[in-house]
Amino acid sequence: MNDPVTPQRRPSAAYRYLFVGLLGLVIGLIATVMVSRAIQARQDPFPESLMHVMNRQVELLQAAQAQNRCSLADTVPRLQTLRSLSNDLDLAFPGLNSQGFQTHASALRATLNEALAAPPTDCPGMATLVEKIQTDCKACHQDFR
């Protein structure tokens, strides 16, 4: 009996292409992460960090007010921290040494100085103070963000 002769099939190169494609994808991903880390390392984290900490202090004041914890012991430490941090605004944003920025920074410092001189002792007073602080912050962000 005659066996039909079957031609030899060459193995498919698809696995090689898949391997090279996946290898290229992994190398591209690693290169992207390296480039993004290099760009991130050149940026100064101080300005953004300062804004985050100041925002958190205001949020803590709001949370204390929402919980009806409006005593001096709850308010004064947050106000002192905010006032201390406000001293670094000029240092955090050296490119914004314009008259407008200085005006906004001074307004925030004045609000905090007034609050520390006569801290609110009740929740309505604290709500008014928090609103004034947020107004000072928003005014600056509208002009310089």
Side-chain angles (χ1 to χ4, degrees), residues 54 82-83 86-87 89-90 98-116 129 131-141 143-144:
M54 290 181 75
L82 280 168
R83 180 57 180 98
S86 70
N87 289 335
L89 287 172
D90 301 325
S98 67
Q99 184 62 32
F101 182 75
Q102 295 301 323
T103 302
H104 289 302
S106 295
L108 177 62
R109 289 184 195 112
T111 299
L112 293 169
N113 287 338
E114 291 171 12
L116 285 169
L129 173 62
E131 186 177 318
K132 181 140 177 51
I133 292 171
Q134 288 178 329
T135 301
D136 290 341
C137 291
K138 286 178 186 175
C140 187
H141 283 217
D143 290 346
F144 294 101

Side-chain angles (χ1 to χ4, degrees), residues 47-116:
E48 189 173 336
S49 300
L50 179 67
M51 291 292 106
H52 282 294
V53 173
M54 290 181 75
N55 185 44
R56 182 65 178 150
Q57 293 297 318
V58 173
E59 288 173 354
L60 289 171
L61 282 172
Q62 287 176 321
Q65 185 222 350
Q67 296 170 358
N68 206 21
R69 296 178 55 208
C70 303
S71 68
L72 292 177
D74 296 318
T75 308
V76 173
R78 303 282 174 229
L79 293 174
Q80 288 172 335
T81 302
L82 280 168
R83 180 57 180 98
S84 178
L85 291 171
S86 70
N87 289 335
D88 291 334
L89 287 172
D90 301 325
L91 181 64
F93 301 100
L96 297 179
N97 282 336
S98 67
Q99 184 62 32
F101 182 75
Q102 295 301 323
T103 302
H104 289 302
S106 295
L108 177 62
R109 289 184 195 112
T111 299
L112 293 169
N113 287 338
E114 291 171 12
L116 285 169

